[in-house]
Amino acid sequence: MNPFSLAVSRVIARVADCALGPYQTAVIRIGFSLTWLLFLLREFPHRHELYGPDGPWNWDLADQMVGTNGAFTVLLWSDGRGWFEAVYALAALSSVLLLLGWRTRTMSVLFMVGVLALQNRSIFMGDGGDNVLHLMSVYLVFTRCGQVWSLDARRARRVAEARARGRRPRDRVGPALWGALGFLLVAATLAGRMDGDRLIPVLLWTVWTAQALWWLAGRRARPGQPRILLDVVANIVHNGALLVIMAEACLIYATAGWYKVQGSRWQDGTAVYYPLQLEYFSPWPALADLLSASGTLVLLVTYGTVAVQVAFPFTLFNRRVKNVLLALMIIEHAGIAVVLGLPFFSLAMIAADAVFLPTSFLRRLGERAARARGRLRPRGGGTAAAGPPHPDRRADGAGGARDDGMEAVEAAPAPGGGPTPRT
């Protein structure tokens, strides 16, 4: 075998063998679900004006717009207040459960449905971060984002421990969720609610069917081979989605930087000055005046913003330079949240940036959080929190490797003896 073929085979084996970046995808899951949850809570008193029946963009206008662009939103299935409240509550609840990592496969789908339902209902509401959240909610469905820092990972460890003791753990929640959501999906399809753009309905049906195949592979077919094949497919899909998320983040920064280069105010170094003078973007007027009073500071921030955004995609192959620019971008977004009053835009961008965080840093962060949680527990209250087990280091290049405990969850036998659907 020549060197090129050998290298290609190694890449294929690496991509198919495990789900890369478990810590990065966990941070993305936590970051975007937290961003969406905080937004829903902040806008809860104004939800009817923003997305509901009392808004200027009423139900008829939204229905006409969706009829034109074919966007998917369950809010237009009914114009009743009760339906709106139920969808808003579902969006908040799925955010909480995805944040905690409970049944991440199912919750990622419901999270996507909640995001699309509200954002496609009133497309003029948002500050730029909503576009990032919109895309990432779809990408998360394809990832195995519950490998670490999740209730799924804890359940996987308990299942593995039970099986090591010779027990046969049973999971009734997974099949119940699969059956209930399947019933709703069939009812919505037969009622004609899935008309329009086929992307999201096809995605929903694909995920639901894949869950059934996963269960049947362990229950009906010969043990081992079908499950290994499905696991390989899931790893490839996960790694492909992770690559798309990274490319999306690079594309956002590259296009933003190159468009800024073409602006005259960015060229003369005064672009940052003008938003600081707008009342809408000045929650702290005294701070804005202090920053804009120094022409040198405005010049440095303006040119620095352009330089970092344009250069970042080209630094991914140099870890040290990439980490420096990544820290600068996170600081920049934190500054935007405070100075310009755009917290949810900044949180969404920081969550997207997290895909490039070093695995070693995230591991240390998780270990410290576990130790802090253990110190907060009362003495004698049970076993000490040891934190999540380190994923297998066989594929710790692009960001980490598979948490093998997750496979124990997905292979836990159902009441009938076969494994439960992945949720």
Side-chain angles (χ1 to χ4, degrees):
M1 182 178 293
N2 58 58
F4 176 76
S5 300
L6 183 61
V8 171
S9 64
R10 287 177 178 174
V11 171
I12 294 175
R14 185 182 182 85
V15 171
D17 182 60
C18 61
L20 301 174
Y23 292 95
Q24 286 78 3
T25 49
V27 173
I28 292 174
R29 183 199 83 232
I30 294 170
F32 283 108
S33 59
L34 179 62
T35 300
W36 184 237
L37 176 63
L38 292 177
F39 176 80
L40 294 177
L41 294 178
R42 190 193 71 170
E43 302 299 343
F44 184 80
H46 315 291
R47 64 192 184 281
H48 293 149
E49 290 77 16
L50 290 176
Y51 302 109
D54 298 336
W57 191 253
N58 59 34
W59 193 90
D60 292 332
L61 290 175
D63 186 54
Q64 294 178 29
M65 176 64 74
V66 169
T68 302
N69 59 21
F72 176 84
T73 171
V74 299
L75 272 182
L76 294 182
W77 291 1
S78 173
D79 59 352
R81 284 182 177 269
W83 177 248
F84 169 77
E85 298 292 355
V87 173
Y88 200 93
L90 173 66
L93 179 61
S94 62
S95 300
V96 172
L97 296 178
L98 185 62
L99 174 66
L100 298 175
W102 185 80
R103 307 287 173 172
T104 51
R105 182 69 70 186
T106 299
M107 290 306 118
S108 64
V109 174
L110 295 180
F111 177 77
M112 176 193 69
V113 171
V115 171
L116 298 183
L118 294 174
Q119 289 190 353
N120 290 338
R121 164 64 174 82
S122 298
I123 60 174
F124 299 109
M125 301 296 175
D127 54 12
D130 59 308
N131 294 325
V132 179
L133 183 63
H134 190 107
L135 293 171
M136 295 300 175
S137 67
V138 178
Y139 299 155
L140 274 176
V141 175
F142 297 94
T143 65
R144 309 179 84 168
C145 56
Q147 299 175 91
V148 297
W149 299 343
S150 66
L151 295 178
D152 282 350
R154 186 182 69 173
R155 180 161 53 93
R157 292 193 295 272
R158 293 180 175 179
V159 167
E161 293 171 358
R163 297 183 64 159
R165 293 192 296 267
R167 298 180 180 178
R168 296 176 58 87
R170 296 183 177 182
D171 179 18
R172 296 180 176 84
V173 177
L177 277 175
W178 179 84
L181 295 178
F183 173 78
L184 294 176
L185 190 58
V186 170
T189 303
L190 294 179
R193 301 299 186 181
M194 296 294 187
D195 296 339
D197 186 13
R198 296 294 183 183
L199 174 61
I200 301 302
V202 168
L203 177 58
L204 296 175
W205 275 108
T206 300
V207 173
W208 186 79
T209 304
Q211 298 290 77
L213 290 176
W214 190 272
W215 181 77
L216 289 174
R219 182 180 176 86
R220 300 297 184 186
R222 291 181 301 172
Q225 294 180 356
R227 178 56 62 92
I228 292 174
L229 176 61
L230 291 176
D231 194 46
V232 167
V233 173
N235 289 335
I236 294 174
V237 171
H238 166 93
N239 295 329
L242 187 61
L243 178 63
V244 170
I245 291 173
M246 297 171 68
E248 187 72 42
C250 290
L251 184 62
I252 290 173
Y253 285 117
T255 54
W258 286 109
Y259 272 110
K260 287 181 175 68
V261 169
Q262 302 175 43
S264 59
R265 294 294 176 261
W266 291 95
Q267 293 174 7
D268 60 27
T270 61
V272 173
Y273 172 83
Y274 297 99
L276 294 175
Q277 305 307 308
L278 297 177
E279 182 179 358
Y280 183 78
F281 293 109
S282 298
W284 314 99
L287 179 60
D289 293 339
L290 178 63
L291 295 176
S292 61
S294 173
T296 302
L297 181 60
V298 170
L299 179 69
L300 292 175
V301 174
T302 301
Y303 284 162
T305 299
V306 175
V308 169
Q309 291 184 350
V310 172
F312 179 74
F314 301 99
T315 65
L316 296 182
F317 300 100
N318 189 309
R319 181 173 299 181
R320 293 182 179 179
V321 178
K322 182 262 295 182
N323 290 340
V324 171
L325 292 187
L326 184 61
L328 291 176
M329 288 192 300
I330 292 176
I331 293 173
E332 174 192 355
H333 289 305
I336 291 174
V338 175
V339 178
L340 299 182
L342 297 173
F344 300 110
F345 166 77
S346 298
L347 282 175
M349 291 307 303
I350 291 174
D353 294 341
V355 72
F356 300 106
L357 289 173
T359 301
S360 58
F361 168 77
L362 293 176
R363 281 174 175 163
R364 289 194 299 269
L365 185 65
E367 291 169 356
R368 292 176 182 177
R371 287 196 296 268
R373 187 178 67 228
R375 286 193 295 267
L376 293 176
R377 287 186 177 183
R379 295 184 181 275
T383 58
H390 291 331
D392 188 354
R393 297 174 185 253
R394 289 173 297 169
D396 187 25
R402 175 179 65 189
D403 183 344
D404 291 333
M406 192 63 184
E407 307 309 311
V409 175
E410 295 165 345
T420 62
R422 288 186 300 165
T423 50

